Amino acid sequence: MRERVYLNDGWKFSGMYEDRMRFPDFDESGMEEVRLPHTCKELPFHYFDEELYQMVSGYRRKIFAPKNWQGKNVFLIFEGVAHESEVFVNGKKVCEHHCGYTGFSINIGDVLNYGAENFLTVKADSRENLNFPPFGFVIDYMTYGGIYRDVYMEVREQEYLEDIFVKPQAEIGQRIYTPLESEITVHMTEDGGLLRQWMRRKGETEYQLLSEGEVKHKKEILRFSNFQAELWDVEHPVLYEIRTELLRNGKILDAQVVTTGFRKAEFRRDGFYLNGRKLKIRGLNRHQSYPYVGYAMPASIQKMDADILKKELGVNAVRTSHYPQSHYFLNRCDELGLLVFTEIPGWQHIGDEKWKEQAVANVRDMILQYRNHTSIILWGVRINESKDDDVFYERTNAVAHELDPTRLTGGVRACKRSSLLEDVYTYNDFIHDGKQPGCEKKSGVTSDMEKPYLISEYNGHMYPTKAYDCENKRTEHALRHANVLNAVAGQSDIAGCFGWCMADYNTHKDFGSGDRICYHGVLDMFRNPKTAAAVYASQQEERPVLEISSSMDIGEHPASNWENLYIFTNADSVRMYKNERFIHEYKREESHWHNLKHGPILMDDFIGNAFETEEHMPKGQAGSLKKLLNAAAHYGVAHIPKRLYPAILKLFLGYRMNMAQVTDFYTRYVGDWGGASTRYRFEAIKNNKVVKTVIKEPMKQVRLQVQADHQQLKKNTVDVAAVRIQAVDEHGNILNFYNEPICFEIEGEGALIGPPVIALQGGMGGTYVKTKGLPGKILLKIKSAQTEPICVEFMVEIKENTKECSAETESV
């Protein structure tokens, strides 16, 4: 049986590699002690030189090889090293790898000293002048450096399972049919042997024997069709564990468990179908980067992003732009039912033949390493936004179809009617600028109407928006996302769309806002929501959503005109009260975004029936005055629409009103100038019940709202808790212009990632707490000048967890 030994602890690091580092007698006293995942350079939040992380760095670690490993295969496995790496064991070079986004493994059994210490050295080159993807030209994202994913060893017998591909496709016809077909690659030293396969639903205890067969070839197929599994779906992602055993003479030599789900994912000419039903893809693009440490975040943070996408933003899909991402993230997508479009590394540039050879190798590695993730529905085999290159892309498509005939290929382009060698025309549609339609029609873009069509990006650079921008800009940002979603929902032959993007990210000097940040996200870099996040969140039904686009402070708007204020909700209706007086009940059907189940709703009434009940006006006069004042609130007095002129004449001539009276009514009922503070209350109604309430009134108290994604941390690998911070008023409304300093103090068995003092951006920010490798408590104190301090307590587990240990073994 195989054993796994995690090597995430005990590393020495230097930002400058020396060739002497690979030899056992190298003096390590000048090296820094680090744990994995690790970034070669911790960076400021913004305004820094991207050359800081571009270096050739060195890592060293001791490995003790027990004598009972001798005669076995000992594989050293790296999940991700950015970006070009060379690996040495006891001074001997054993491997080099030329991609920072795929894993690699080496059998080091022949170079180990058994019963003794061995010296492992890694040379990691994170410079951006390397001749392989995504490098060669400018890139609109930072690429960072270091050993930023897990490293471990697997000890296997002389005969073992090399690879298992469990094909996830179900058949949907008169009945649901879930044939199980596994493609199994074995490493055998002699003829004979037996393969046996078992299955259980994930979380259950007992396996069910499925099938067995003799090993006659290096690659064998096991098939089993006499069962009906529950289908994996975006709403009910049922998973199964398939255990494959390799036996000889009744003895189990090796065993592996693959987690899979059964589903039928189809792109057709008229859209995307999951398990036979048409499903509109509604997704966001995701970069795997974070403040300060770039890519170097562990399992907990990777899983958190998937949870945010599915549970907080309510999307059903994610595109891993522009490279394969952590298996921890993909595992969580499998568990949550989050559809994934993943692609090879690259951004616009295509290099020379050597460069292309590595790109083809990246396709091979991506598919071999990720094809057991049920959530993946499409392989991206074209360099993002690159020009046509038929010979090159014939090769990438051929590799993808050879290694995984169950999934289609796509290739993200920014040009219309380009050469289409992939199965799906995937296109970045940036036509919408606030005035143009939300999307182009399929017929205006694709070069083959018979093939499926998918929008892979929209918005993003078209309207970068910061959390601290003015209210009107944040609202416009949200509406542009709604406009595209609405337009795509209205096109029956578009499979769906992926917005650009989930969260803000650090970028190179050529892009972004000059501070090394692209403010393209619906979340900030710490994963706090901007207004646009509510557009996505309101499309799901799992949790109640009620967001108001405005703080209801009239002075925030030019000329103190309300202009357009919006309600984002997934409720049936929203009741609006002003100073506890009912104004209006806005119903879902009133949204102008008719193709969305829950579109934004324009607030266009600030008066209600007050003129009849409080001013005792005749109904005709009250109606005309209400129309006039609501229009003045929206357009301003100087820009009243001509269609209201008859009503104005009727007020002045028919009801003998004068301008002073109209102004007085406007001031008291709309403008709120000079009177008592106004309190607005909004109630979301679902199934005739109030499910959420939002109150807007002049703030009286600032407090910090702190959310840690988890507080029980693991000690046996680097574990990190994300702490999101929002400055809010007494009703929980974000104070978008509270950009004050926040101070952190930490005690116990943890450390901060990032500085001890930050400034909030748009009333929001965050920090990260990481473990140091010892059990016990961590206490994080958060302070701001105008708020009460907050303490967050974390507990680093004491119980050993061998599955993610740094020095212990695990039977697999």
Side-chain angles (χ1 to χ4, degrees), residues 110-123:
D110 291 341
V111 297
L112 288 174
N113 297 318
Y114 295 96
E117 295 280 9
N118 296 266
F119 290 85
L120 169 62
T121 305
V122 180
K123 177 184 177 182

Side-chain angles (χ1 to χ4, degrees), residues 229-301:
E230 290 188 58
L231 294 180
W232 183 96
D233 197 271
V234 292
E235 295 175 357
H236 302 287
V238 179
L239 293 173
Y240 291 86
E241 292 175 321
I242 311 299
R243 176 183 169 89
T244 305
E245 297 173 346
L246 175 64
L247 302 91
R248 184 182 291 281
N249 300 324
K251 180 184 177 182
I252 299 176
L253 302 177
D254 196 11
Q256 281 189 272
V257 175
V258 171
T259 301
T260 191
F262 298 93
R263 83 290 187 277
K264 188 165 189 178
E266 302 174 279
F267 285 90
R268 304 179 190 171
R269 67 183 302 276
D270 66 332
F272 175 71
Y273 289 77
L274 184 63
N275 300 328
R277 67 182 175 93
K278 194 171 186 180
L279 176 69
K280 188 71 77 172
I281 290 172
R282 185 182 68 253
L284 288 164
N285 285 266
R286 181 220 186 211
H287 272 304
Q288 64 177 12
S289 58
Y290 301 87
Y292 315 127
V293 294
Y295 294 159
M297 280 294 191
S300 58
I301 302 299

Side-chain angles (χ1 to χ4, degrees), residues 425-429 438-440 453-458 484 488 494-499:
Y425 199 103
T426 48
Y427 174 68
N428 291 347
D429 185 345
C439 70
E440 299 208 48
Y453 176 64
L454 175 68
I455 296 174
S456 40
E457 291 182 29
Y458 59 87
V484 177
V488 173
I494 299 180
C497 55
F498 293 89

Side-chain angles (χ1 to χ4, degrees), residues 111 124 154 176 210 274 280 352 383 402 427 452 530 553 768:
V111 297
E154 280 193 352
I176 298 171
L210 294 178
L274 184 63
K280 188 71 77 172
D352 58 18
I383 301 301
E402 173 197 350
Y427 174 68
K530 302 178 190 176
D553 294 300
Y768 300 96

Side-chain angles (χ1 to χ4, degrees), residues 182-193:
S182 300
E183 183 180 289
I184 304 167
T185 307
V186 294
H187 182 274
M188 303 295 287
T189 58
E190 56 182 289
D191 293 339

Side-chain angles (χ1 to χ4, degrees), residues 555-621:
E556 164 65 357
H557 300 266
S560 295
N561 297 319
W562 281 121
E563 299 180 286
N564 289 341
L565 309 183
Y566 288 90
I567 299 168
F568 304 102
T569 186
N570 56 2
D572 301 326
S573 65
V574 174
R575 294 172 185 159
M576 174 183 176
Y577 298 84
K578 182 178 179 181
N579 293 330
E580 300 307 317
R581 181 174 58 81
F582 175 74
I583 299 292
H584 191 91
E585 183 167 6
Y586 293 96
K587 297 183 179 179
R588 180 175 65 184
E589 296 78 15
E590 295 178 37
S591 173
H592 301 306
W593 287 260
H594 301 296
N595 298 321
L596 294 181
K597 186 175 182 181
H598 301 289
I601 303 171
L602 176 67
M603 277 195 288
D604 55 4
D605 185 4
F606 299 91
I607 299 166
N609 61 356
F611 295 151
E612 295 101 312
T613 60
E614 296 183 13
E615 303 295 338
H616 308 293
M617 286 185 186
K619 187 175 181 179
Q621 180 184 8

